[in-house]
Structure formats: C-alpha cells, structure tokens
Amino acid sequence: MQAGASVIQSSQRGPSVRAGWPWAKTWPGMLAVSLAILTGVAAFQLWRSLPPLVPAFLLFGLGLVLAWRWRLALLLSIAAAAFLWSGVQALERLEQVLPAGKELEVRGRIDGFPQLQQREYRFRLAPSEIRLDGRPLAHPPALLELHGALPEPPVPAQAWRLLVRTESLASLRQSPYLDLARQRFWDGVQGTGKILHAELSPPSSGSPLDLLARLRQTIPERSNAALSRSRAGYVQALSIGLGNQIPAEVWQWYRDTGTAHLLVISGSHVAVVTGMWVLLWRFLWRRTPWCARWPAQQVAILAGIPMAWVYAFIAGMQTPGERAAWMITAAATAALLGRRHSAWAGLAAAIAAMVLANPGNVVDLGFWLSILAVSVLLLIGFEEGNWRRQLQSQWTISVVLLPLIAALFGMVSLISPLANILVIPLVEVVAVPLTLLGALFALFDWEWLYRVIFRLVAVEMEGVSALLHALLQIPWARVSTGQGRYWAIAAATLAFATFLLPPRWPHRWVGLLGFIPLLVPSPAAEDLQLEEIPAGSGMAIFWQQGRQSGLYTANLWDKESQRAAAAGIDARLQRAGIARLGLWVRGDLSSPSKKPPAARIFLPPGTRDASLADAVVDHCLPDRAPPDLRFWQVAPIQPCILALPRPAQVLILGDMDEAASERLLHRENLRGLRVILAPATLSAWQRQGIEGAAPRSSIHYLGEGGSTLWSYGHGRLALASSKPRAYWQIP
C-alpha cells in the first residue's frame, strides 16, 4: 500500500529543470478530472439492475454544450462519459457469459496460481480461443474459472488445450466477507466448468510467457526441496505470492495483528523491489563516466517503472501488485515532470486509469485502502533515509486505517500499529530482499547458496510469526466494535486526523484519545434478531437479543458445509461486535471447522464430545434450559430441539428420524408457533406432518442455500425483505 512512496520522495532532490513543465501546475485540474471519473463510475455501481444509459448520454451532451461558456461543465461530461463507459463494460461482460451444460474446446494460459482441492485443480484460464461445435465464439470471456484433473501439476502462464463442460456461475465459491460474484464479474470471469480432457501445449522457446511459467515453477520446486512445506511457504509467499503452504493458524496470527499484507505481494513488496532497483541503477549510473551527462536520479526513476511491472507480472498480476505498479508509474511520472505537489496529480491519474480499466475497483476495499495509505504518505511528507520518519509513517497509516476497518468489519486490532512498526522492517528490509536473492540463485541452480538463504528467511519468518503470536496474548489486542456505530467511527477519525498535522504542531498526542470510542461497547438492540447463516447443506442459526447471543448448528457433516459455516459465523460475530457467544446449541455432534467461542455449550441428550473438555458443557434437557429458552425432548437420544425466546415463538428442529418426528407431533402443540426452522433433510412425510400440525406457522427448511433474516419487535416476528437479484449475480 506504500507503492508510490519511495519513488515520489526520492524525486525531490533532483534537478530544478523539472519545475518548468506545464503539467506540474495543473494538478488541481487533474484531481478534478479524476474525481469526475470516480463519480461517474461510482454512480453506476450504485445500481443493482442495469440503469438506462440514455439520461447519461443526454448529460454528456449537455455538459459539452455548457462547456463553451462554463469550463467546469466539462466535468459533468466527463462524469457522464465514465458512467456510460461502465455501462458499456457491463453489457459487454453480460454478452460474454457462457451458457451452462455446453462442451467447449478451449485454448489458453493459466492466470494466477492454481489450487489443489480434493484431488482436482482449480484455476483461472485466460482463453485465446474458445470453440463451440467446432466454431469459435464471437464474444469469448476474458477469464474462465475451471476445475478438474490434469495430467501434471499446472503452473502460472502455462498453455493448455482443454475440453470443458460449462457449469452455472452460481456454483462458484461465495464469501460472507466479500461480494465475490461482483468481483468475479468485473474481473472478467464469465464462465466456469469442469475439465473433461486436458493436454499441455508444447512450450515455445521464444515466448516470454513460457519462460515466465518455467521461472515460476522453479521457485516452488526448489524451495520445497530445500525446506519443509510450511517453511517453504514463507519463501513462496514473499517471492511469487503463493501462500497456500503456510498453516492456517499462522495466517490467522497475521490477520489478527493487521500484518497479513506482509505475506502477499502487496504494494509494499513491489515498492521495496522497485526501490532497490532504483538505488542500484542510480549507484551504477553515477559511476559510469559516459553517462554523467544525464541526471542519475531521473534515469533511475525512469528505470523503476518497468521494474515495478515486471515484478508484478512475476507475482501473477495479482490485484494488489497490479495496483501498486499503477501507483508507482503515476508517482514516478509525476516526479519526472514536476514539483513535489504534482505527486497528487500522479495519484489522481493512477486512480482514473485503474477505475477505467476495471470499473469494479470502485467497490474493492483493497483499492481504497491503497489510495488512503498513499495519501497519508503524501500528507505526512515521507522522507527517504530517515528511519524515524519511516517508522512514524507506518504508525500513522496503521492508526488512520483503524476507524475504516472498524466500520467495515466490526472488529479492529489495537496492536496493529505496534505490530507493523516491529515487523515491517524485519520483513520488507531483510526478509524480502533475501528471498528475492535466494530466488535469483535458485533460477541459476546455485544450490548451496539458495538453500542457505532460504533457511535464513524461514528462520526469520518463524521468529516474526512467534512475535505476532506473543503480541496477540496482550489484553485487548483484538476488540469487537460492531457495525453501525457511526458516532464512534467519526470521533476516532477526527482524533486520529491530528497525526496528519505537521510534526511540530503542538499537542498532537491528543490523537491517542481516538482509541477510546473504539473501545466503547456497541449498544445492544433489544429486539430479537434471528438470522440463517449460509452453511451449504447444514444449518447455522444466529440470534441476538440485548446482550444475549446464541447459535444453533446441525448437519455440518461434510467439509464444504463446515468451512462455509465457520466463515459465516465468524463474519456474523464481527458485524455484531461479539467476541464470545453466550450460548451454542449443537443440534448434533457435527460442528464448523473452526469452533466458535462460547460461554456455554449444549449437546444432544446422551452424547458427549471429548474435544470440548475445557468448555462448560451441558445437555439440552428441559430442566437445564437457560432463562427464556426451552428444550423439547421426545426421545432419550435425539437431536436438540430448541424453542427460542418465548415471545417470538420460534422452534428449531434438528435432523430426526421418522419415529422421533411422530412423537413430536403427538406430544407437543405446534399451533401457536410463529416460525419453524427445520433441516432440508426431512422426508416428504415429515414435512407434511409438520405442515399439518402447524398450519399457521411460517416453516423454513434450511440447508438449501441462501440466507434469511428475521426481526422480532413490537409483538411480531417479521421476515426481512430480500434484495432483487443484481445483474452481476448470474445464475
């Protein structure tokens, strides 16, 4: 996220001839144009259904007419043109959607890093040719997301010939944290399918892409040969952005401390590599006599632009790396053309280029975090060579981002500023250069050299991970803030803004008071909130009323449902600002892959779970129910049957056999219930019996996909209205 910093600030000591360029004086105009483009693209992204383009076209013409007299009216035309451009891009992507159930012949290259999941590979393919019934498609998509078996392990940029049976885009992975369907749509993924037959295309000796594929394959192979799998994961993450070998618990340490950007090819990595290249180029240029006629600083900055793109390309052109390359290009161009303040114009130009290249960047959180980080660096005047200033900049960025992270995720890491100050120098100044040097030796097959360097990197990164794990043991290291607390976010933002004032400004320490509103607990909603969490074929139901929160889970037997439930539960707790559940009722012995923290856990009668030996565990028997809850028992051994707070009259059923269902219908009165939540695995006979016994109840069968939200207030339980399907949610 600091991608443009090293190039921007290093230009400030160059020759004064650059100040004479007219472009350097137009930075307010460039900023206005960029804001107009952002406004047009953002206005388009507010629509869930495709908006009409005729009004935007009329505004475009009106702005051109008014611009003859009022130049500012040209900004209206620019915003309308950006709106029209986004609409054209959306229509083009919709035309590229591949129908499901078709067999296609596909030629293309692998984009990004393939993942091995359940004995099959998943990867994105950039097709060069797609044939249906022997004829090439007129509008092929930019990317395909494929899965299936391959005759040999695939690597990025490798060329393949495939026979694919297309599938529905709705079958692709979803996330409770991000709108992956929208992200895939704007990334150009308009097709998915299963690989029926695969054949590796012969490499071309003169093709740069084939050379790149071989280089990317070399680093994982030789790092795995030199180190254990987990240790090699550090080397691969820091060199080519491949982090699937790092243990999940280690990833969690980095995420909880706000330092996960260090284990991916982020903007800071690209900046470090580019900065090292600029310093090396400047050093060599100044010591070459016949090169003295050209300023070494300008030449070095110019050489840094292609280096940023080369490294981003080697790292698989992942979104953070590509974004950093754009930032560096804009900052370096601004440094070459004008004075220091022209860096804002360069940043504005980069923003405009990125949103026009991909209008979906406007709704990408990482895009805005990168812009905010670079803007903070420009505001505080980042200076090269001053290590105190560098640490202060890292501290300022971490602190200023805390309110935004709290607003988006409902949880912040209060030790993130400290963790970044301690860890960033160790990773970016030591580990990243060493890793790249070892990767260079690996490419030349200098075995003893790259083995030694890779081991040094692994030992250092294990030490960094241990340090982060120790920091997480500090009280209040990670705080749940909840969402919707706008007053707290505004107060924290206002207080932290004092860190952006000039260094000699008095009483800047007052900004530390911004941590107080983030620590104030979120207000508890007195109405009952009941939500179904998507869990594949399983059940996961969250409820909250006041300070009381609970969770009911069942049917989480397959791994896909376990993973989906774990992610959904974690996201829901973050949004509610809850660090620990008050109650977890396990309808059966199945559970999410990551067990949620709970003060009290209930199991079905007659069962036990040895993995919960350290928790407060009880059985869901009628005489052991917490206040305002009720357990129904119709058999000595059965799934938990839970009646939620009595005013709401909600009954949650587990997956029971037909004998237990019959006893339930005969022993209990279901007519007074408002809502019945049952697993989708119940048979048709069981469903018919429940529907007949509770004719006035709203019955929902869970485990068939989707998510439902209910709210109880003013004496009734209401079903929240669902949003209409968006144009990017392609079935």
Side-chain angles (χ1 to χ4, degrees):
M1 291 187 296
Q2 309 143 339
S6 60
V7 178
I8 294 172
Q9 49 78 30
S10 62
S11 67
Q12 299 169 14
R13 290 187 285 272
S16 60
V17 67
R18 301 190 306 273
W21 284 77
W23 189 82
K25 301 178 182 179
T26 63
W27 71 273
M30 191 65 208
L31 182 61
V33 171
S34 178
L35 288 176
I37 293 175
L38 268 177
T39 301
V41 176
F44 182 85
Q45 296 292 356
L46 294 176
W47 295 73
R48 289 182 61 86
S49 58
L50 284 177
L53 301 182
V54 174
F57 185 78
L58 295 177
L59 285 177
F60 174 75
L62 178 63
L64 290 179
V65 172
L66 296 178
W68 289 102
R69 187 174 183 87
W70 298 286
R71 293 292 179 89
L72 289 179
L74 190 60
L75 296 177
L76 177 63
S77 294
I78 294 174
F83 188 96
L84 290 171
W85 172 254
S86 301
V88 171
Q89 292 292 306
L91 290 173
E92 181 180 353
R93 283 167 168 77
L94 288 174
E95 289 182 358
Q96 296 172 347
V97 174
L98 296 180
K102 302 291 185 180
E103 289 193 4
L104 305 176
E105 299 176 14
V106 182
R107 294 174 181 263
R109 291 184 178 274
I110 295 177
D111 183 80
F113 293 96
Q115 302 291 329
L116 180 61
Q117 298 177 358
Q118 299 180 354
R119 298 183 180 181
E120 68 175 18
Y121 290 97
R122 286 188 171 270
F123 57 88
R124 288 185 176 182
L125 188 85
S128 57
E129 183 183 22
I130 300 179
R131 289 181 172 271
L132 176 61
D133 298 329
R135 298 180 179 179
L137 291 183
H139 302 285
L143 291 172
L144 301 176
E145 193 157 318
L146 306 176
H147 66 94
L150 295 175
E152 63 178 78
V155 296
Q158 203 174 45
W160 286 84
R161 298 172 58 188
L162 307 171
L163 179 62
V164 176
R165 179 184 293 116
T166 59
E167 299 173 347
S168 169
L169 286 169
S171 64
L172 293 176
R173 183 175 64 92
Q174 302 298 324
S175 171
Y177 302 98
L178 302 172
D179 190 348
L180 291 183
R182 190 174 196 171
Q183 181 178 325
R184 283 190 293 260
F185 178 85
W186 288 108
D187 285 345
V189 180
Q190 268 71 57
T192 183
K194 181 176 179 59
I195 300 171
L196 304 179
H197 177 74
E199 181 181 342
L200 182 64
S201 298
S204 174
S205 58
S207 172
L209 293 178
D210 287 328
L211 176 62
L212 178 63
R214 289 194 291 270
L215 295 180
R216 285 178 175 168
Q217 188 177 14
T218 300
I219 295 175
E221 287 179 352
R222 293 181 178 169
S223 60
N224 286 332
L227 303 169
S228 64
R229 182 176 177 84
S230 59
R231 284 187 159 192
Y234 290 117
V235 174
Q236 296 167 21
L238 297 178
S239 58
I240 58 176
L242 183 61
N244 60 343
Q245 294 186 180
I246 298 177
E249 61 177 1
V250 176
W251 273 111
Q252 192 65 41
W253 298 344
Y254 281 83
R255 282 192 290 266
D256 291 347
T257 54
T259 56
H261 60 92
L262 298 177
L263 290 183
V264 296
I265 303 298
S266 61
S268 58
H269 290 72
V270 179
V272 167
V273 174
T274 306
M276 292 172 57
W277 178 255
V278 168
L279 292 176
L280 177 62
W281 192 274
R282 186 173 60 185
F283 175 82
L284 296 176
W285 192 269
R286 286 176 176 174
R287 282 154 181 79
T288 305
W290 57 272
C291 295
R293 66 178 66 183
W294 293 285
Q297 184 67 26
Q298 286 183 299
V299 174
I301 293 176
L302 186 62
I305 297 176
M307 185 61 194
W309 286 101
V310 168
Y311 182 58
F313 196 71
I314 291 176
M317 286 302 288
Q318 301 177 55
T319 302
E322 182 181 0
R323 193 162 49 231
W326 276 110
M327 295 284 189
I328 288 179
T329 301
T333 303
L336 291 171
L337 296 179
R339 296 187 297 270
R340 175 183 178 183
H341 67 259
S342 64
W344 289 102
L347 178 60
I351 294 172
M354 284 186 283
V355 299
L356 289 177
N358 182 0
N361 278 329
V362 172
V363 291
D364 183 3
L365 174 62
F367 171 77
W368 292 106
L369 291 177
S370 295
I371 292 175
L372 180 59
V374 175
S375 300
V376 170
L377 287 173
L378 294 178
L379 285 172
I380 64 179
F382 184 82
E383 296 291 344
E384 181 185 18
N386 188 334
W387 63 270
R388 292 186 180 87
R389 194 63 170 166
Q390 295 179 19
L391 292 180
Q392 181 185 351
S393 68
Q394 297 296 340
W395 159 268
T396 305
I397 290 174
S398 301
V399 170
V400 170
L401 291 180
L402 285 179
L404 178 60
I405 294 174
L408 293 172
F409 300 109
M411 188 169 292
V412 294
S413 173
L414 296 183
I415 62 171
S416 175
L418 175 62
N420 277 276
I421 287 178
L422 295 177
V423 170
I424 284 181
L426 297 175
V427 176
E428 294 189 350
V429 180
V430 181
V432 171
L434 276 179
T435 303
L436 295 177
L437 183 61
L440 181 63
F441 291 154
L443 297 179
F444 288 104
D445 200 17
W446 295 347
E447 184 175 357
W448 68 275
L449 283 175
Y450 74 72
R451 280 180 173 270
V452 170
I453 292 178
F454 284 169
R455 288 181 183 275
L456 289 176
V457 171
V459 170
E460 182 193 355
M461 291 305 298
E462 286 181 338
V464 168
S465 301
L467 173 62
L468 296 178
H469 182 57
L471 290 176
L472 286 174
Q473 309 309 313
I474 299 176
W476 300 91
R478 196 164 180 253
V479 178
S480 298
T481 60
Q483 292 181 321
R485 303 173 63 238
Y486 301 112
W487 70 268
I489 302 302
T493 301
L494 183 62
F496 291 154
T498 60
F499 292 115
L500 302 178
L501 296 173
R504 296 185 180 181
W505 193 274
H507 306 300
R508 294 176 71 230
W509 59 269
V510 176
L512 295 175
L513 297 177
F515 286 98
I516 296 178
L518 296 179
L519 295 175
V520 176
S522 58
E526 295 303 324
D527 291 343
L528 172 67
Q529 297 291 327
L530 182 67
E531 181 176 351
E532 172 196 359
I533 298 174
S537 59
M539 294 176 62
I541 304 166
F542 172 83
W543 73 88
Q544 184 179 15
Q545 186 174 27
R547 293 295 176 185
Q548 301 298 321
S549 60
L551 178 72
Y552 183 96
T553 61
N555 281 14
L556 301 175
W557 299 111
D558 60 89
K559 292 184 178 180
E560 182 178 353
S561 297
Q562 293 170 1
R563 289 192 295 266
I569 292 169
D570 187 54
R572 188 62 184 85
L573 295 182
Q574 286 189 18
R575 291 197 301 271
I578 297 174
R580 183 181 178 88
L581 284 165
L583 178 69
W584 178 20
V585 179
R586 296 177 60 177
D588 49 42
L589 292 183
S590 65
S591 69
S593 57
K594 177 185 175 184
K595 296 181 179 179
R600 195 173 180 186
I601 301 175
F602 285 89
L603 297 176
T607 63
R608 62 185 300 270
D609 188 345
S611 64
L612 301 176
D614 298 332
V616 179
V617 181
D618 206 339
H619 290 93
C620 47
L621 297 172
D623 58 343
R624 299 182 183 178
D628 296 328
L629 298 181
R630 179 186 172 193
F631 290 124
W632 290 6
Q633 187 179 13
V634 296
I637 299 178
Q638 65 171 37
C640 288
I641 302 176
L642 173 66
L644 277 179
R646 288 168 185 158
Q649 298 175 336
V650 178
L651 182 68
I652 305 177
L653 302 176
D655 187 12
M656 59 185 66
D657 56 26
E658 294 189 354
S661 297
E662 187 174 358
R663 286 192 294 269
L664 172 69
L665 298 177
H666 283 86
R667 295 183 185 180
E668 303 289 348
N669 182 13
L670 306 184
R671 292 185 175 274
L673 296 172
R674 297 179 183 270
V675 176
I676 298 178
L677 306 178
T681 52
L682 294 184
S683 65
W685 179 88
Q686 291 173 307
R687 296 190 184 196
Q688 184 178 0
I690 294 174
E691 293 166 2
R696 297 182 180 180
S697 301
S698 176
I699 304 175
H700 300 269
Y701 298 99
L702 311 187
E704 298 175 333
S707 175
T708 310
L709 175 66
W710 295 270
S711 176
Y712 181 84
H714 305 290
R716 64 187 184 91
L717 188 69
L719 178 65
S721 59
S722 58
K723 295 181 179 180
R725 181 185 294 274
Y727 63 87
W728 62 82
Q729 295 173 335
I730 302 170

